Amino acid sequence: MIAIIKYNGGNVSSVQNALNRFGAESIITDDFELIKNADKVIFPGVGEASSTMKILKEKGLDQLIPTLKQPVLGICLGMQLMCKNNEEGNTVGMGIFDLSVKKFPAKDIVPHMGWNTISGFNSTIYSGIKEESDVYFVHSFYCELSEDTSSICDYILPFSASLQKDNFYAMQFHPEKSGEIGSRLLQNFLKL
């Protein structure tokens, strides 16, 4: 069973629909016991950082998520909120990744939206995926590069397209909208 964290954030249904295509059983929930006992947990997100973090705190999910022991996947805003802080709304995150999330400088079109290339794979989640693969992004804020960076994208500047630390995986792009590559990544996550 895969628990998809429910917190009034966008994109939850599209993640569940992607899992349904693989025949993976999932539930959208904010129930602590269901989340703690799930085989895998997905923390998707589309929205604004400070208001989303407020909801997570009200539900106590900000305390639960960092304690999870099974594989956890953060997507887009989910990835950003797993970091220590975010310039959007001066938001304090969960600190799973010791990284700051910053706004792209206005040297090109922001948000970074559409297909872009990722490379520099440094995680088993990329098993069977060719370097220089294209995935789908929609974001105005980015995670810095760090020792937890598991893939890199370059838009205005190089940034962490994905992260991994212990049982925590995170993707700035949307695997559920990234065609065959995204499907393979989700399937790789399910096999962890």
Side-chain angles (χ1 to χ4, degrees):
M1 171 64 73
I2 298 127
I4 302 170
I5 294 179
K6 175 183 174 184
Y7 64 99
N8 302 331
N11 222 39
V12 175
S13 296
S14 62
V15 170
Q16 188 172 45
N17 290 338
L19 295 174
N20 288 344
R21 289 195 295 270
F22 316 134
E25 189 179 348
S26 64
I27 184 168
I28 298 170
T29 183
D30 58 5
D31 181 276
F32 277 38
E33 288 307 309
L34 288 174
I35 294 169
K36 284 196 286 190
N37 293 311
D39 296 317
K40 311 274 187 315
V41 175
I42 298 181
F43 176 37
V46 170
E48 190 273 332
S50 62
S51 56
T52 302
M53 199 65 196
K54 183 179 179 210
I55 293 166
L56 291 170
K57 285 181 177 179
E58 287 168 0
K59 293 177 178 261
L61 292 167
D62 65 313
Q63 297 298 310
L64 173 65
I65 293 168
T67 68
L68 296 174
K69 303 299 181 199
Q70 69 272 62
V72 178
L73 175 62
I75 298 173
C76 197
L77 181 60
M79 170 174 160
Q80 294 179 5
L81 294 177
M82 291 165 82
C83 295
K84 68 178 178 182
N85 57 50
N86 191 321
E87 285 185 357
E88 187 175 29
N90 292 318
T91 305
V92 175
M94 289 181 269
I96 295 165
F97 299 105
D98 188 25
L99 288 168
S100 295
V101 179
K102 300 179 177 180
K103 183 160 186 159
F104 278 118
K107 295 179 180 176
D108 203 334
I109 297 167
V110 176
H112 171 213
M113 189 160 90
W115 295 86
N116 207 339
T117 303
I118 57 172
S119 61
F121 301 159
N122 185 24
S123 171
T124 56
I125 204 163
Y126 287 101
S127 177
I129 295 175
K130 189 177 82 171
E131 281 275 350
E132 306 289 322
S133 291
D134 289 343
V135 292
Y136 190 81
F137 290 89
V138 182
H139 62 124
S140 298
F141 295 80
Y142 69 94
C143 293
E144 304 168 304
L145 297 176
S146 81
E147 63 184 18
D148 297 326
T149 298
S150 57
S151 70
I152 298 168
C153 183
D154 197 326
Y155 183 79
I156 301 176
L157 44 75
F159 66 90
S160 293
S162 62
L163 301 168
Q164 184 194 343
K165 181 178 182 182
D166 302 323
N167 59 308
F168 293 97
Y169 299 78
M171 299 172 183
Q172 181 60 67
F173 54 89
H174 288 272
E176 76 283 3
K177 295 181 179 179
S178 295
E180 187 179 325
I181 299 298
S183 293
R184 180 64 184 263
L185 284 166
L186 287 172
Q187 289 175 64
N188 285 351
F189 175 71
L190 297 181
K191 290 174 186 172
L192 291 172

